[in-house]
Amino acid sequence: MNKEKRLEILTRLRDDNPHPTTELNFSSPFELLIAVLLSAQATDVGVNKATDKLFPVANTPQAILDLGLEKLKSYIKTIGLFNSKAENTIKTCQMLVDLHGGEVPEDRAALEALPGVGRKTANVVLNTAFGWPTIAVDTHIFRVSNRTKLAMGKNVDLVEQKLLKVVPEEFKVDVHHWLILHGRYTCVARKPKCGSCIIEDLCEYKDKTE
């Protein structure tokens, strides 16, 4: 795929959704961090149902520590892997209190040192909470990037590196939101909705649907 085609794809996605954001509900960097931590192998809808009940009760590291492990589990038990996620959340809250004054650090290494927080989660927090031009490659972005040939790679790290290389600076803050939403609602896994896709004529996917 050439530079001009990539630019047109990104321009159309931006024109269609000028101010994209995550579909996770949050009102602070800490709420976003916990929501993303809980979202691994779970849907945003499912996470929101849990956090919409949890956050009004406890939405700071100390408040979740005061809640305790078992009470926290009762709020997130509808989410997959809730036992390990609850334990990581408690450990993360303790580290935030002990090392960062109860605040979410705007620092990649500090974020990735938190239990349950990997590169993807750190990228989401840095991008969505702090406005960094990071790209968090999930299954949707991996599929859309490879399928369209926007940025091809055999794993999420390679796709991230390719996107960072080929996406112009003006699009970098928002591109991962556009690609996630495109993969979630249009370029879906089993049968992409090519007929209603705003970039169908630019996409290089061979097996387009009607």
Side-chain angles (χ1 to χ4, degrees):
M1 177 171 286
N2 61 38
K3 181 179 178 181
E4 289 72 24
K5 194 177 285 188
R6 285 195 185 96
L7 182 62
E8 180 60 24
I9 285 174
L10 294 167
T11 300
R12 288 189 196 178
L13 292 173
R14 180 178 63 186
D15 290 347
D16 187 59
N17 186 3
H19 305 290
T21 188
T22 178
E23 293 189 315
L24 291 168
N25 295 339
F26 74 99
S27 60
S28 69
F30 175 71
E31 288 188 1
L32 176 65
L33 172 64
I34 298 305
V36 178
L37 193 155
L38 296 175
S39 70
Q41 299 180 46
T43 65
D44 287 0
V45 172
V47 172
N48 287 338
K49 285 180 180 178
T51 57
D52 286 349
K53 295 177 181 177
L54 171 65
F55 289 155
V57 176
N59 70 340
T60 66
Q62 190 59 57
I64 285 184
L65 289 173
D66 292 343
L67 202 61
L69 181 62
E70 293 309 314
K71 196 72 182 291
L72 174 60
K73 285 182 181 180
S74 72
Y75 281 98
I76 67 169
K77 62 185 178 184
T78 54
I79 301 173
L81 308 175
F82 76 92
N83 282 309
S84 61
K85 288 177 181 178
E87 291 175 4
N88 282 334
T89 297
I90 292 291
K91 291 174 184 175
T92 283
C93 288
Q94 192 66 61
M95 286 182 67
L96 291 175
V97 169
D98 293 345
L99 302 177
H100 305 290
E103 299 295 326
V104 175
E106 189 179 343
D107 177 86
R108 177 183 296 283
L111 285 169
E112 291 186 18
L114 299 171
V117 177
R119 182 175 179 83
K120 188 179 79 171
T121 297
N123 276 340
V124 173
V125 173
L126 291 170
N127 175 276
T128 305
F130 299 116
W132 286 31
T134 55
I135 301 173
V137 178
D138 69 350
T139 55
H140 295 300
I141 293 181
F142 182 76
R143 180 176 66 254
V144 171
S145 297
N146 275 292
R147 186 183 271 171
T148 61
K149 295 187 171 53
L150 180 69
M152 299 179 73
K154 293 181 179 180
N155 57 53
V156 293
D157 291 336
L158 290 173
V159 169
E160 179 187 342
Q161 292 169 25
K162 187 67 180 289
L163 284 169
L164 288 169
K165 182 179 179 180
V166 302
V167 172
E169 288 297 324
E170 65 179 296
F171 299 104
K172 274 184 181 165
V173 171
D174 292 324
V175 67
H176 95 257
H177 294 301
W178 291 323
L179 296 179
I180 285 172
L181 294 170
H182 194 67
R184 188 171 287 165
Y185 297 111
T186 303
C187 197
V188 295
R190 291 187 179 179
K191 189 178 180 183
K193 302 173 183 177
C194 298
S196 60
C197 175
I198 62 171
I199 60 168
E200 182 190 8
D201 57 313
L202 302 166
C203 168
E204 297 183 7
Y205 183 50
K206 291 180 180 178
D207 302 316
K208 291 179 182 173
T209 61
E210 291 298 325

